[in-house]
Amino acid sequence: MRGPVAGVREVGLGLAEVQADPDRPGGWLLTVNGITQSYIDLDDPTHLELDYLRYLAYVIDALEPFDAPLDVVHVGGGAGALARYLAVVRPGSRHLVLEIDAALVKFVDERLGLRAVPGLEVRVGDGLTEIATLPSASADVVVADAFEGLRMAAGILGAGFTSQAARVLRPSGVYLLNLIGTTHQLDAVHAMFPHTALLDGDVFAGYVGNQVLAASRVPLPLDALYRKVEQAWPPTRMEAGTTE
């Protein structure tokens, strides 16, 4: 790593830019085509600036044992904000990042040290197909955070990818999806994972943005998760359900 260094580069998905946060000494923002992809704090990786990353962290933090290392598959990596967070709060965790854009991986690695994150491995390829190459029951968490601009990558919510995510997860594993908007076809997810919790901003407080869906084949740790949500700032709401 020769950075952190601000800069702009043409990558497979468009124009990527790394910018320093003038209001936070360790803060760095990654955008592609002007759209925020990731925000990291190199001085304090536990600082999660983006709402949806906090929602992901609330779910993972609620998993017992609370400080145990986890095996995590990330479909879409950005600058590795979640992996950096877990490297601190759950040391020893192992992360496999599936990222389709090789030029973006190289750019982020040069500027923000992506491959230097403890326990992180990057595999360049389309997550929709690469996930089929992973061993069964090998992950505690699968995170689907792959986008084409402001739209989820095609196929993420389909039955094929969902069944592969379920196969890769251990029986008690958790599937986490970063969603944009409020209308999604989640039939395949609910069919495979009967226990769900949807986290998003408190609309009455004016916080509206991405949603995170947590899904599992076994009951989620709702008591611990509710405690996380109740203490959250900005305000967060959660809706849990089951199809069993």
Side-chain angles (χ1 to χ4, degrees):
M1 175 181 173
R2 67 180 181 88
V5 180
V8 180
R9 184 177 300 174
E10 194 73 32
V11 297
L13 297 174
L15 191 67
E17 182 173 7
V18 167
Q19 307 169 60
D21 183 348
D23 299 320
R24 192 174 183 92
W28 291 84
L29 177 68
L30 169 68
T31 62
V32 175
N33 298 327
I35 300 170
T36 296
Q37 300 294 311
S38 196
Y39 181 104
I40 63 171
D41 187 329
L42 293 174
D43 295 337
D44 179 12
T46 65
H47 174 76
L48 299 176
E49 182 75 13
L50 304 181
D51 287 345
Y52 88 91
L53 283 169
R54 290 195 293 271
Y55 304 158
L56 294 172
Y58 296 155
V59 177
I60 295 175
D61 287 348
L63 302 178
E64 295 185 3
F66 297 127
D67 59 351
L70 298 171
D71 293 321
V72 185
V73 175
H74 306 254
V75 182
L82 185 62
R84 295 172 197 264
Y85 171 84
L86 291 174
V88 175
V89 303
R90 289 181 180 262
S93 293
R94 296 182 298 181
H95 304 273
L96 176 61
V97 174
L98 306 178
E99 173 56 59
I100 196 170
D101 192 332
L104 179 62
V105 170
K106 183 178 180 181
F107 179 57
V108 175
D109 187 38
E110 290 175 355
R111 302 290 173 149
L112 299 173
L114 178 63
R115 295 183 187 271
V117 177
L120 186 143
E121 174 190 351
V122 180
R123 183 180 300 181
V124 175
D126 187 343
L128 288 170
T129 55
E130 287 295 327
I131 197 169
T133 70
L134 304 184
S136 298
S138 60
D140 300 298
V141 179
V142 172
V143 182
D145 186 17
F147 285 83
E148 299 165 349
L150 289 174
R151 302 183 63 179
M152 293 185 69
I156 287 288
L157 297 178
F161 183 82
T162 302
S163 65
Q164 287 295 334
R167 182 188 61 80
V168 169
L169 282 167
R170 296 182 174 118
S172 61
V174 177
Y175 184 31
L176 294 171
L177 297 103
N178 176 22
L179 308 173
I180 289 183
T182 57
T183 303
H184 300 280
Q185 295 296 325
L186 299 173
D187 292 350
V189 177
H190 289 302
M192 193 66 63
F193 300 97
H195 302 277
T196 60
L198 185 68
L199 289 78
D200 65 4
D202 184 343
V203 294
F204 297 106
Y207 297 101
V208 181
N210 294 44
Q211 298 176 316
V212 163
L213 181 70
S216 180
R217 286 168 289 191
V218 300
L220 292 163
L222 294 180
D223 289 344
L225 187 49
Y226 272 121
R227 287 194 294 271
K228 296 287 182 182
V229 169
E230 288 170 354
Q231 299 167 7
W233 185 263
T236 303
R237 64 177 181 175
M238 184 180 84
E239 181 179 344
T242 179
T243 57
E244 285 189 340

